[in-house]
């Protein structure tokens, strides 16, 4: 049967408005209507340098929602919510894995920081996440990779092919056999003395950490000069 790919619900999304996208796809394994699929809410407070989308998948049912584009300093770090960081509530099917697609300026510092609250509890960016670097450039003022491309990139990461990192990695190295680099976990949101200024301290807690793919080629942490970190990157969340 053809199943509607359900959109994630989002509040307070984005400095640059892009239309949400719905898709159809062949689904031979699901007989129940999509609106009968049980969902659970996941709420995140997040900021990204520079832009991101959410995606999820469970079996053959996929979802997508554009997150935000943050092309300048204020749209990454400043208060209030919606100017800098954003608070987004997602309705995600039970059993789905949540993904974060991130794309950045090819010649600047890059990363993502945030917290997620779902049925499994309180989850912070950093240890426990995985990343796969795709290696495709996208305009930070544009909508970024399409929903279809994100889903095909997840397949490529799982298979360990056609991606810059060769698959998924975590803080210790390869998760997908043969993958290269690691998930770099950096500073907390607690000081202006580190790589990053403090993100809107009234809304973003201290405890999450900045994270990115590190190709381990001798460059500075978070430094994407010359596309060193090969955006866009996919981050795979722990169970939420």
């Amino acid at each position: 049967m053809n199943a509607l790919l359900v959109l994630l619900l989002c509040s307070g999304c984005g400095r640059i408005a892009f239309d949400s996208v719905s898709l159809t796809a062949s689904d031979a394994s699901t007989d129940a209507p999509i609106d009968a699929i049980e969902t659970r809410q996941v709420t995140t407070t997040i900021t990204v340098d520079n832009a991101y989308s959410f995606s999820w998948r469970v079996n053959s049912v996929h979802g997508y929602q554009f997150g935000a584009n943050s092309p300048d300093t204020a749209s990454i770090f400043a208060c209030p919510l919606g100017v800098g960081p954003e608070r987004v509530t997602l309705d995600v099917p039970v059993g789905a894995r949540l993904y974060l697609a991130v794309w950045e300026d090819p010649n600047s510092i890059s990363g993502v920081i945030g917290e997620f609250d779902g049925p499994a509890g309180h989850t912070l960016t950093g240890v426990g996440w995985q990343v796969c670097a795709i290696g495709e450039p996208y305009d930070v003022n544009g909508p970024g990779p399409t929903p279809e491309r994100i889903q095909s990139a997840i397949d490529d990461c799982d298979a360990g092919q056609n991606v810059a990192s060769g698959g998924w990695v975590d803080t210790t190295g390869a998760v997908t056999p043969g993958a290269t680099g690691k998930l770099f976990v950096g500073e907390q949101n607690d000081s202006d003395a580190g790589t990053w200024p403090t993100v809107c301290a009234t809304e973003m807690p201290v405890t999450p950490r900045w994270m990115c793919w590190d190709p381990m080629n001798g460059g500075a942490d978070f430094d994407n000069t010359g596309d060193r970190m090969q955006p866009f990157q996919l981050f795979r969340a722990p169970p939420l």
Side-chain angles (χ1 to χ4, degrees):
M1 62 176 282
N2 285 332
L4 180 66
L5 295 181
V6 182
L7 294 177
L8 300 177
L9 300 180
C10 174
S11 61
C13 284
R15 266 63 87 202
I16 298 175
F18 298 102
D19 291 336
S20 297
V21 180
S22 61
L23 305 173
T24 59
S26 176
D27 177 6
S29 64
T30 302
D31 293 325
I34 293 299
D35 59 9
I37 293 176
E38 183 181 357
T39 64
R40 74 279 205 274
Q41 286 195 334
V42 175
T43 300
T44 176
T45 303
I46 187 170
T47 196
V48 174
D49 187 349
N50 291 99
Y52 67 97
S53 293
F54 298 100
S55 189
W56 52 256
R57 54 165 56 185
V58 56
N59 299 321
S60 55
V61 180
H62 303 163
Y64 165 87
Q65 175 64 51
F66 180 79
N69 182 289
S70 304
D72 55 43
T73 300
S75 61
I76 300 169
F77 301 102
C79 289
L81 283 173
V83 174
E86 298 193 319
R87 186 158 296 133
V88 183
T89 299
L90 311 172
D91 277 341
V92 181
V94 172
R97 193 73 181 262
L98 185 66
Y99 298 84
L100 183 63
V102 173
W103 58 103
E104 304 105 356
D105 187 320
N107 292 298
S108 68
I109 302 297
S110 302
V112 54
I113 190 170
E115 63 170 352
F116 292 76
D117 287 298
H122 189 66
T123 300
L124 307 172
T125 51
V127 176
W129 287 69
Q130 298 173 6
V131 63
C132 177
I134 310 305
E136 295 173 356
Y138 288 89
D139 185 348
V140 298
N141 292 298
T146 65
E148 300 98 326
R149 180 61 190 118
I150 292 172
Q151 293 297 332
S152 67
I154 293 171
D155 290 334
D156 288 341
C157 291
D158 290 347
Q161 61 185 18
N162 303 320
V163 292
S165 63
W168 297 102
V169 298
D170 60 17
T171 54
T172 63
V175 175
T176 305
T180 61
K182 67 177 183 178
L183 175 72
F184 180 81
V185 175
E187 65 195 68
Q188 290 185 309
N189 188 45
D190 60 357
S191 173
D192 289 334
T195 301
W196 296 99
T198 302
V199 178
C200 187
T202 59
E203 301 295 344
M204 181 69 74
V206 167
T207 45
R209 292 183 177 271
W210 288 93
M211 63 181 187
C212 66
W213 180 62
D214 180 4
M216 301 176 67
N217 59 5
D221 300 331
F222 300 108
D223 183 3
N224 192 44
T225 301
D227 269 0
R228 170 181 172 265
M229 288 155 48
Q230 295 293 301
F232 76 95
Q233 298 172 27
L234 283 172
F235 293 88
R236 185 159 66 178
L240 299 171

